[in-house]
Amino acid sequence: MRGGMAAVLALAALAPGACGDGAGEILPGRSRPLLEHDWPDPGALALGSAAFTPPDPEQALFEASSGARAYIVTGTAADPLVRLTAAMPVGRLHERDGEAGASALLVQLLTTRGPAGASSPLSLRLGELGTSLSASVTLDATRISLDVLPDDWQEGFELLVELVRNPDLDTATIREYRTGPGYDMPMAGIDGDGFRPRVELERRLGGYPLAPPDPGQTVSPDAVRALASRSLATDRVVLGVGGPVPRDEVEEALESATRGWARSSGLVTEPSLIEAAPTMADSPGPATRFHAVDVPSLEGWIAIGRAVSAIPESDRAAFAVLRFILAERLNIAAREMRGLANRDDFEIPVTASGTGLLLVRTGGRPEAVAPLLRFSLDEIGRMHDPDAPVTEAEVARAQGWLVSAVWRRSLELATSASGTFAVEHVRHGGTNHLMGWPETVGSATPVAVKRLAREYLDPAAFVTVVAGPMARIRAARHPRWPIALDEVEAELGRP
């Protein structure tokens, strides 16, 4: 009994308001005061240097007599898997007149039907290898990969080459195909190109090819075959093999599997413009800056963005730094200070030319939607404000993340490096841009970052899409930040 009473008293001492002086702020929905700590600033920690030597892409590259290229990055015997990758110039920016939707359909055919004339279904062959295909499709490049056990690398490699060399472009399947809405589910979190507010935003900003084609369109067999003949030629596809594999055996397998594979008839370049999209900093702002999409959901989801036709190569590193700084500020404002969302993120295009979407994406409970929108727009405005500086510390943190986290992680393992090299080669025609990235990022300055913020982050050029249960979102009020969505919408509607 005494033990039970002691526990009750101990819990009472920890309860809100138990502090004698009443100190400690309590957020709505929390049962204890905010944590106070005396942890040192990360910049004050004396950490040892972390040396990292990436694999050499020139040594990794092998070109077969057919013209097929592969980046072979040999891992160690301790590596559990081999990753096989095929990167190709397939995406909406590579579609020509009459080919809208052909990229998505071609990837679907590659990853579901298997090679033409195969004696066994693709699903059975993958099952025998104990693996599955994964596909990543962007506006200007597609990556298809599979992971296999080291003993199965050759069979997996031959299957991958068969898929891209001899795809099953079944006419009946193509004729039955209709383009979808562009998103994976009505609501599926904030990740990926299928995030519905993003797709709705892309449609309003520029339409196709920034956005997926309108739902219900058909794709002709001729369109798919034309795209495939250009993009799946031996000198257009770049392969990656990473893991504990003998290099000489991979070279031999590449020579054998690609013998007689046709080359492309000529160079195909990526379009540099998205027609009708507001792309320049001095362009007039969009006529309507707020759109609401009523969908059944427990939460509300937000996309705030603008389209850009291209970002100069000389600005790419500083723009990547800008991306990190704004994302950090957004998360501090929305998550760390106010607990409104798990993520409030800022994204920039990953295409070779910089063509694409500048995008803030976030979401939360109905009562959090209006505050999230308000504080996110405030951070965009603060980044754009000429009197709000970008600090040296912010730039240093961004440079550390871009190099020591993102860049290093993409090259740290043989499995990841082989695929990174392959995609980079498809996008840039080589790997010089990738390997020079640390030095280029290190040269970014607060002045350069602020110049880009002034040029690209004018809040008047951004458009907002909110998707979710709109009646609940409009009626909801956060107990600490009772901002009404109608108020923010009215501000966005002002000229």
Side-chain angles (χ1 to χ4, degrees), residues 65 96 135 159 176 184 258 262 290 292 304-305 316 328 346 378 400 421 428 474:
S65 56
R96 296 179 177 177
L159 172 59
E176 292 172 0
D184 301 322
T258 63
F290 181 88
I304 309 169
R316 299 291 177 79
E328 182 181 57
F346 178 56
D378 287 349
F421 289 152
H428 296 282
R474 292 188 187 281

Side-chain angles (χ1 to χ4, degrees), residues 59 112 167 277 314 359 404 475 492:
Q59 292 183 3
T112 58
S314 58
L359 177 68
S404 299
L492 294 176

Side-chain angles (χ1 to χ4, degrees), residues 25-30 34 328-344 362-365 367-379 382 478-483:
E25 183 183 8
I26 301 174
L27 290 177
R30 292 180 179 264
L34 295 177
E328 182 181 57
R329 290 184 180 185
L330 286 166
N331 277 292
I332 289 172
R335 182 184 66 200
E336 306 301 337
M337 292 176 60
R338 299 179 175 95
L340 291 168
N342 289 328
R343 279 178 60 193
D344 195 352
T362 186
R365 296 175 300 180
E367 65 271 20
V369 170
L372 274 171
L373 182 53
R374 172 75 279 155
F375 296 128
S376 297
L377 290 169
D378 287 349
E379 290 306 315
R382 185 164 74 94
H478 194 282
R480 183 170 289 267
W481 299 282
I483 301 169

Side-chain angles (χ1 to χ4, degrees), residues 138-160:
T138 63
L139 284 174
D140 69 342
T142 292
R143 177 202 314 228
I144 296 175
S145 61
L146 64 155
D147 293 343
V148 295
L149 293 172
D151 289 345
D152 297 326
W153 77 263
Q154 189 157 358
E155 186 177 350
F157 181 75
E158 291 171 354
L159 172 59
L160 184 63

Side-chain angles (χ1 to χ4, degrees), residues 56-381:
D56 185 343
E58 293 186 5
Q59 292 183 3
L61 180 61
F62 173 75
E63 183 169 344
S65 56
S66 62
R69 290 158 298 190
Y71 285 93
I72 307 166
V73 183
T74 302
T76 68
D79 292 336
L81 296 172
V82 176
R83 179 164 299 161
L84 308 167
T85 300
M88 60 206 79
V90 173
R92 293 197 297 272
L93 288 181
H94 292 294
E95 294 171 352
R96 296 179 177 177
D97 290 344
E99 295 178 356
S103 293
L105 176 52
L106 178 57
V107 174
Q108 178 178 309
L109 293 169
L110 288 170
T111 55
T112 58
R113 291 196 61 84
S119 57
S120 299
L122 177 61
S123 58
L124 179 59
R125 297 180 68 178
L126 291 171
E128 291 172 345
L129 290 169
T131 189
S132 60
L133 289 171
S134 64
S136 172
V137 185
T138 63
L139 284 174
D140 69 342
T142 292
R143 177 202 314 228
I144 296 175
S145 61
L146 64 155
D147 293 343
V148 295
L149 293 172
D151 289 345
D152 297 326
W153 77 263
Q154 189 157 358
E155 186 177 350
F157 181 75
E158 291 171 354
L159 172 59
L160 184 63
V161 173
E162 283 184 67
L163 285 172
V164 294
R165 177 179 178 174
N166 190 28
D168 185 0
L169 308 181
D170 180 67
T171 299
T173 302
I174 295 172
R175 292 193 186 283
E176 292 172 0
Y177 176 81
R178 301 291 185 273
T179 57
Y183 45 84
D184 301 322
M185 294 173 60
M187 286 296 130
I190 72 170
D191 289 316
D193 292 337
F195 179 53
R196 180 166 183 178
R198 174 191 175 120
V199 176
E200 301 284 357
L201 179 64
E202 290 169 337
R203 295 196 193 286
R204 288 163 172 79
L205 286 176
Y208 168 85
L210 179 64
D214 291 335
Q217 287 190 22
T218 59
V219 181
S220 72
D222 287 344
V224 178
R225 293 190 177 105
L227 177 64
S229 68
R230 296 195 309 271
S231 300
L232 303 185
T234 185
D235 54 334
R236 301 284 284 159
V237 174
V238 182
L239 302 165
V241 180
V245 292
R247 181 182 177 91
D248 57 343
E249 293 184 14
V250 177
E251 293 177 359
E252 183 180 345
L254 183 66
E255 286 283 3
S256 174
T258 63
R259 191 171 293 115
W261 188 357
R263 293 173 181 258
S264 60
S265 58
L267 180 65
V268 182
T269 58
E270 175 190 351
S272 61
L273 293 176
I274 296 176
E275 297 296 334
T279 57
M280 305 307 293
D282 56 357
S283 297
T288 304
R289 295 174 53 205
F290 181 88
H291 301 273
V293 182
D294 190 33
V295 294
S297 175
L298 295 176
E299 298 180 287
W301 306 95
I302 300 170
I304 309 169
R306 61 169 297 187
V308 289
S309 60
I311 297 171
E313 183 65 37
S314 58
D315 287 337
R316 299 291 177 79
F319 213 97
V321 171
L322 167 62
R323 182 260 157 183
F324 175 88
I325 293 173
L326 180 53
E328 182 181 57
R329 290 184 180 185
L330 286 166
N331 277 292
I332 289 172
R335 182 184 66 200
E336 306 301 337
M337 292 176 60
R338 299 179 175 95
L340 291 168
N342 289 328
R343 279 178 60 193
D344 195 352
D345 206 2
F346 178 56
E347 299 173 359
I348 61 177
V350 297
T351 52
S353 66
T355 299
L357 192 68
L358 305 183
L359 177 68
V360 174
R361 63 165 98 201
T362 186
R365 296 175 300 180
E367 65 271 20
V369 170
L372 274 171
L373 182 53
R374 172 75 279 155
F375 296 128
S376 297
L377 290 169
D378 287 349
E379 290 306 315
I380 296 173

